Amino acid sequence: RTPRAMSKKSEPDAEFIAEAQEAYIDEDWLKALDLYDIMVEGYPKYVPGWVHRSACNLKLGRHNDALGDAAKAVKLDDTNPKAHLRKGMAFFELGEAEAARMCFERGAQLDGSGAKVYGEWIEKCDNLILGAIESAVPKEDRAADAAKPENPRVDIPPASAAPPEPRYKHQWYQSLSHVTLEVLAKNVRPDDASFQIDAHRVRVSVANEDDPTDPYVLDLKLFGEVFPAQCKTSVGVAKLEVRLKKAEDAQWGDIAEGSGGASGAATAAKTVTAPPPARPAYPSSKAAQKKTVTDWDKLERELEKEEEDELSGDAALNAMFQKIYKNANEETRRAMNKSFQESAGTVLSTNWDDIGKKKTEAQPPEGMEAKKYEI
């Protein structure tokens, strides 16, 4: 399959779309990316190709590439809400919360059915913007404000020493097959981060530029066993991510067995565990407190529905036949193949008891005549 061979059509055939979509659903991001590379090169005006390639690049941590793909999709069709969603997600991962928020607002205006998803992303942007504003206020100013008594005439008993301010927070979520751990550390250079994954333990370290003797260390004894060779790590602009492959498909009660924690004054963010067999959810801190999560299974179903809705005419008919053939048993497939070949493509039957007994004669459409050609 080459772009040159496909370029005469305005959009890919149903089989090619289904193949790329299946790779994405199976979380084979590299295979899906290769297929969408072919798709956008062969069909540069096919907007879903750019949108879905942007999603693959987001999964692979290639946020600049994801932004470029989403921007191309928006340029081709400014009314496509998924294009604005992917563009906003890419901006968010690059730390551009304000630009991301504008994209999510535009997507919400276009997609009434998915307004909740955009609202959650807008809330995450607001949290990131608020955090940036708070971090810009000098610590001594905040300490001075906190030290001022509300009523100087009242004697306030001395309070116990407050715990040190957290350096980084971490959070986690899971599916049946994987656990994902996120350390919310911004602008960490890859050389300053290190990961160690064993069957029952994960360790994340971040060097401290101000004090090399006091690095951040998150060391967790895991709730269950993982396959280290199948685990993945990444360092992004806004976070460090560790994707752990479970040794057994099951829901964990927690990410850590017993008490686990981090040095360097780190604390854990509120953990959200999706109910089985839900896909990962990415709540913001406020959303986590409200126990709201993103239903990724629903988003995937919407993606499948979007692909089906985009098909029409012969493409839609071929997609239906492919779906029937894919889900059929061996006898039904034999019946479909035999009837289609013997009738020169005019009959397609799924009844082997009837088709297997005799040759299938051609049945051309009304007003047409079947002819035989000698080769």
Side-chain angles (χ1 to χ4, degrees), residues 292-308:
T292 59
V293 296
T294 301
D295 188 345
W296 288 99
D297 288 329
K298 180 180 178 181
L299 291 181
E300 283 188 356
R301 290 193 296 269
E302 290 177 355
L303 179 61
E304 294 176 3
K305 176 96 169 38
E306 177 184 299
E307 298 287 5
E308 293 175 358

PDB file of all heavy atoms in Angstrom, residues 292-308:
ATOM      1  N   THR A 292     -14.779  12.538  39.744  1.00  0.00           N
ATOM      2  CA  THR A 292     -15.192  12.510  38.350  1.00  0.00           C
ATOM      3  C   THR A 292     -14.022  12.043  37.510  1.00  0.00           C
ATOM      4  O   THR A 292     -12.894  12.460  37.713  1.00  0.00           O
ATOM      5  CB  THR A 292     -15.633  13.908  37.872  1.00  0.00           C
ATOM      6  OG1 THR A 292     -14.552  14.815  38.028  1.00  0.00           O
ATOM      7  CG2 THR A 292     -16.843  14.386  38.661  1.00  0.00           C
ATOM      8  N   VAL A 293     -14.282  11.159  36.560  1.00  0.00           N
ATOM      9  CA  VAL A 293     -13.239  10.609  35.716  1.00  0.00           C
ATOM     10  C   VAL A 293     -13.694  10.666  34.259  1.00  0.00           C
ATOM     11  O   VAL A 293     -14.884  10.765  33.958  1.00  0.00           O
ATOM     12  CB  VAL A 293     -12.902   9.142  36.086  1.00  0.00           C
ATOM     13  CG1 VAL A 293     -12.333   9.066  37.479  1.00  0.00           C
ATOM     14  CG2 VAL A 293     -14.141   8.262  35.972  1.00  0.00           C
ATOM     15  N   THR A 294     -12.733  10.606  33.371  1.00  0.00           N
ATOM     16  CA  THR A 294     -13.035  10.580  31.944  1.00  0.00           C
ATOM     17  C   THR A 294     -13.262   9.151  31.496  1.00  0.00           C
ATOM     18  O   THR A 294     -12.439   8.272  31.761  1.00  0.00           O
ATOM     19  CB  THR A 294     -11.866  11.186  31.145  1.00  0.00           C
ATOM     20  OG1 THR A 294     -11.657  12.522  31.587  1.00  0.00           O
ATOM     21  CG2 THR A 294     -12.190  11.192  29.657  1.00  0.00           C
ATOM     22  N   ASP A 295     -14.365   8.887  30.823  1.00  0.00           N
ATOM     23  CA  ASP A 295     -14.696   7.550  30.350  1.00  0.00           C
ATOM     24  C   ASP A 295     -14.030   7.335  28.998  1.00  0.00           C
ATOM     25  O   ASP A 295     -14.564   7.696  27.952  1.00  0.00           O
ATOM     26  CB  ASP A 295     -16.225   7.415  30.238  1.00  0.00           C
ATOM     27  CG  ASP A 295     -16.648   5.987  29.927  1.00  0.00           C
ATOM     28  OD1 ASP A 295     -15.770   5.196  29.523  1.00  0.00           O
ATOM     29  OD2 ASP A 295     -17.831   5.669  30.094  1.00  0.00           O
ATOM     30  N   TRP A 296     -12.836   6.718  29.023  1.00  0.00           N
ATOM     31  CA  TRP A 296     -12.098   6.518  27.782  1.00  0.00           C
ATOM     32  C   TRP A 296     -12.730   5.452  26.898  1.00  0.00           C
ATOM     33  O   TRP A 296     -12.590   5.474  25.669  1.00  0.00           O
ATOM     34  CB  TRP A 296     -10.640   6.164  28.097  1.00  0.00           C
ATOM     35  CG  TRP A 296      -9.906   7.356  28.609  1.00  0.00           C
ATOM     36  CD1 TRP A 296      -9.641   7.669  29.907  1.00  0.00           C
ATOM     37  CD2 TRP A 296      -9.371   8.429  27.843  1.00  0.00           C
ATOM     38  NE1 TRP A 296      -8.983   8.868  30.001  1.00  0.00           N
ATOM     39  CE2 TRP A 296      -8.794   9.358  28.746  1.00  0.00           C
ATOM     40  CE3 TRP A 296      -9.325   8.700  26.480  1.00  0.00           C
ATOM     41  CZ2 TRP A 296      -8.192  10.515  28.317  1.00  0.00           C
ATOM     42  CZ3 TRP A 296      -8.705   9.860  26.065  1.00  0.00           C
ATOM     43  CH2 TRP A 296      -8.153  10.746  26.984  1.00  0.00           C
ATOM     44  N   ASP A 297     -13.418   4.461  27.501  1.00  0.00           N
ATOM     45  CA  ASP A 297     -14.137   3.480  26.688  1.00  0.00           C
ATOM     46  C   ASP A 297     -15.202   4.177  25.849  1.00  0.00           C
ATOM     47  O   ASP A 297     -15.400   3.878  24.673  1.00  0.00           O
ATOM     48  CB  ASP A 297     -14.799   2.424  27.588  1.00  0.00           C
ATOM     49  CG  ASP A 297     -13.773   1.479  28.192  1.00  0.00           C
ATOM     50  OD1 ASP A 297     -12.761   1.246  27.523  1.00  0.00           O
ATOM     51  OD2 ASP A 297     -13.996   0.983  29.301  1.00  0.00           O
ATOM     52  N   LYS A 298     -15.902   5.139  26.472  1.00  0.00           N
ATOM     53  CA  LYS A 298     -16.931   5.883  25.741  1.00  0.00           C
ATOM     54  C   LYS A 298     -16.312   6.689  24.613  1.00  0.00           C
ATOM     55  O   LYS A 298     -16.868   6.763  23.507  1.00  0.00           O
ATOM     56  CB  LYS A 298     -17.673   6.809  26.708  1.00  0.00           C
ATOM     57  CG  LYS A 298     -18.768   7.619  26.033  1.00  0.00           C
ATOM     58  CD  LYS A 298     -19.469   8.517  27.045  1.00  0.00           C
ATOM     59  CE  LYS A 298     -20.538   9.370  26.379  1.00  0.00           C
ATOM     60  NZ  LYS A 298     -21.204  10.266  27.337  1.00  0.00           N
ATOM     61  N   LEU A 299     -15.137   7.296  24.869  1.00  0.00           N
ATOM     62  CA  LEU A 299     -14.467   8.071  23.830  1.00  0.00           C
ATOM     63  C   LEU A 299     -14.063   7.195  22.654  1.00  0.00           C
ATOM     64  O   LEU A 299     -14.147   7.597  21.500  1.00  0.00           O
ATOM     65  CB  LEU A 299     -13.239   8.773  24.412  1.00  0.00           C
ATOM     66  CG  LEU A 299     -13.520   9.908  25.403  1.00  0.00           C
ATOM     67  CD1 LEU A 299     -12.223  10.519  25.867  1.00  0.00           C
ATOM     68  CD2 LEU A 299     -14.406  10.959  24.784  1.00  0.00           C
ATOM     69  N   GLU A 300     -13.625   5.960  22.954  1.00  0.00           N
ATOM     70  CA  GLU A 300     -13.248   5.049  21.877  1.00  0.00           C
ATOM     71  C   GLU A 300     -14.466   4.639  21.055  1.00  0.00           C
ATOM     72  O   GLU A 300     -14.412   4.529  19.831  1.00  0.00           O
ATOM     73  CB  GLU A 300     -12.560   3.809  22.460  1.00  0.00           C
ATOM     74  CG  GLU A 300     -11.132   4.074  22.862  1.00  0.00           C
ATOM     75  CD  GLU A 300     -10.400   2.804  23.249  1.00  0.00           C
ATOM     76  OE1 GLU A 300     -11.044   1.745  23.260  1.00  0.00           O
ATOM     77  OE2 GLU A 300      -9.218   2.894  23.533  1.00  0.00           O
ATOM     78  N   ARG A 301     -15.598   4.414  21.744  1.00  0.00           N
ATOM     79  CA  ARG A 301     -16.812   4.082  21.009  1.00  0.00           C
ATOM     80  C   ARG A 301     -17.239   5.243  20.114  1.00  0.00           C
ATOM     81  O   ARG A 301     -17.703   5.033  18.986  1.00  0.00           O
ATOM     82  CB  ARG A 301     -17.936   3.717  21.993  1.00  0.00           C
ATOM     83  CG  ARG A 301     -17.721   2.378  22.702  1.00  0.00           C
ATOM     84  CD  ARG A 301     -18.981   1.921  23.399  1.00  0.00           C
ATOM     85  NE  ARG A 301     -19.373   2.823  24.470  1.00  0.00           N
ATOM     86  CZ  ARG A 301     -18.976   2.685  25.729  1.00  0.00           C
ATOM     87  NH1 ARG A 301     -18.177   1.698  26.078  1.00  0.00           N
ATOM     88  NH2 ARG A 301     -19.380   3.530  26.662  1.00  0.00           N
ATOM     89  N   GLU A 302     -17.061   6.460  20.628  1.00  0.00           N
ATOM     90  CA  GLU A 302     -17.392   7.625  19.809  1.00  0.00           C
ATOM     91  C   GLU A 302     -16.469   7.720  18.606  1.00  0.00           C
ATOM     92  O   GLU A 302     -16.888   8.125  17.518  1.00  0.00           O
ATOM     93  CB  GLU A 302     -17.281   8.897  20.655  1.00  0.00           C
ATOM     94  CG  GLU A 302     -18.376   9.013  21.707  1.00  0.00           C
ATOM     95  CD  GLU A 302     -18.188  10.257  22.570  1.00  0.00           C
ATOM     96  OE1 GLU A 302     -17.153  10.943  22.398  1.00  0.00           O
ATOM     97  OE2 GLU A 302     -19.061  10.529  23.398  1.00  0.00           O
ATOM     98  N   LEU A 303     -15.191   7.369  18.814  1.00  0.00           N
ATOM     99  CA  LEU A 303     -14.238   7.375  17.700  1.00  0.00           C
ATOM    100  C   LEU A 303     -14.653   6.370  16.638  1.00  0.00           C
ATOM    101  O   LEU A 303     -14.616   6.655  15.444  1.00  0.00           O
ATOM    102  CB  LEU A 303     -12.827   7.053  18.219  1.00  0.00           C
ATOM    103  CG  LEU A 303     -11.713   6.986  17.167  1.00  0.00           C
ATOM    104  CD1 LEU A 303     -11.572   8.331  16.474  1.00  0.00           C
ATOM    105  CD2 LEU A 303     -10.408   6.576  17.804  1.00  0.00           C
ATOM    106  N   GLU A 304     -15.069   5.158  17.069  1.00  0.00           N
ATOM    107  CA  GLU A 304     -15.527   4.148  16.126  1.00  0.00           C
ATOM    108  C   GLU A 304     -16.767   4.637  15.387  1.00  0.00           C
ATOM    109  O   GLU A 304     -16.907   4.462  14.184  1.00  0.00           O
ATOM    110  CB  GLU A 304     -15.832   2.843  16.865  1.00  0.00           C
ATOM    111  CG  GLU A 304     -14.603   2.181  17.471  1.00  0.00           C
ATOM    112  CD  GLU A 304     -14.966   0.952  18.284  1.00  0.00           C
ATOM    113  OE1 GLU A 304     -16.162   0.607  18.321  1.00  0.00           O
ATOM    114  OE2 GLU A 304     -14.058   0.340  18.868  1.00  0.00           O
ATOM    115  N   LYS A 305     -17.684   5.265  16.137  1.00  0.00           N
ATOM    116  CA  LYS A 305     -18.910   5.773  15.519  1.00  0.00           C
ATOM    117  C   LYS A 305     -18.576   6.864  14.506  1.00  0.00           C
ATOM    118  O   LYS A 305     -19.170   6.935  13.431  1.00  0.00           O
ATOM    119  CB  LYS A 305     -19.810   6.357  16.616  1.00  0.00           C
ATOM    120  CG  LYS A 305     -21.090   7.020  16.109  1.00  0.00           C
ATOM    121  CD  LYS A 305     -22.240   6.059  16.160  1.00  0.00           C
ATOM    122  CE  LYS A 305     -23.599   6.710  15.936  1.00  0.00           C
ATOM    123  NZ  LYS A 305     -23.671   7.753  14.970  1.00  0.00           N
ATOM    124  N   GLU A 306     -17.593   7.699  14.843  1.00  0.00           N
ATOM    125  CA  GLU A 306     -17.168   8.774  13.946  1.00  0.00           C
ATOM    126  C   GLU A 306     -16.658   8.196  12.635  1.00  0.00           C
ATOM    127  O   GLU A 306     -16.966   8.694  11.560  1.00  0.00           O
ATOM    128  CB  GLU A 306     -16.082   9.597  14.631  1.00  0.00           C
ATOM    129  CG  GLU A 306     -15.512  10.697  13.768  1.00  0.00           C
ATOM    130  CD  GLU A 306     -14.373  11.406  14.470  1.00  0.00           C
ATOM    131  OE1 GLU A 306     -14.609  11.989  15.540  1.00  0.00           O
ATOM    132  OE2 GLU A 306     -13.243  11.367  13.940  1.00  0.00           O
ATOM    133  N   GLU A 307     -15.853   7.112  12.738  1.00  0.00           N
ATOM    134  CA  GLU A 307     -15.325   6.481  11.530  1.00  0.00           C
ATOM    135  C   GLU A 307     -16.466   5.914  10.686  1.00  0.00           C
ATOM    136  O   GLU A 307     -16.479   6.016   9.456  1.00  0.00           O
ATOM    137  CB  GLU A 307     -14.342   5.362  11.896  1.00  0.00           C
ATOM    138  CG  GLU A 307     -13.113   5.831  12.653  1.00  0.00           C
ATOM    139  CD  GLU A 307     -12.140   6.579  11.775  1.00  0.00           C
ATOM    140  OE1 GLU A 307     -12.462   6.808  10.590  1.00  0.00           O
ATOM    141  OE2 GLU A 307     -11.071   6.941  12.259  1.00  0.00           O
ATOM    142  N   GLU A 308     -17.473   5.278  11.343  1.00  0.00           N
ATOM    143  CA  GLU A 308     -18.584   4.687  10.616  1.00  0.00           C
ATOM    144  C   GLU A 308     -19.414   5.768   9.940  1.00  0.00           C
ATOM    145  O   GLU A 308     -19.862   5.614   8.806  1.00  0.00           O
ATOM    146  CB  GLU A 308     -19.450   3.866  11.570  1.00  0.00           C
ATOM    147  CG  GLU A 308     -18.743   2.621  12.108  1.00  0.00           C
ATOM    148  CD  GLU A 308     -19.593   1.892  13.138  1.00  0.00           C
ATOM    149  OE1 GLU A 308     -20.703   2.400  13.426  1.00  0.00           O
ATOM    150  OE2 GLU A 308     -19.156   0.840  13.630  1.00  0.00           O
TER     151      GLU A 308
END
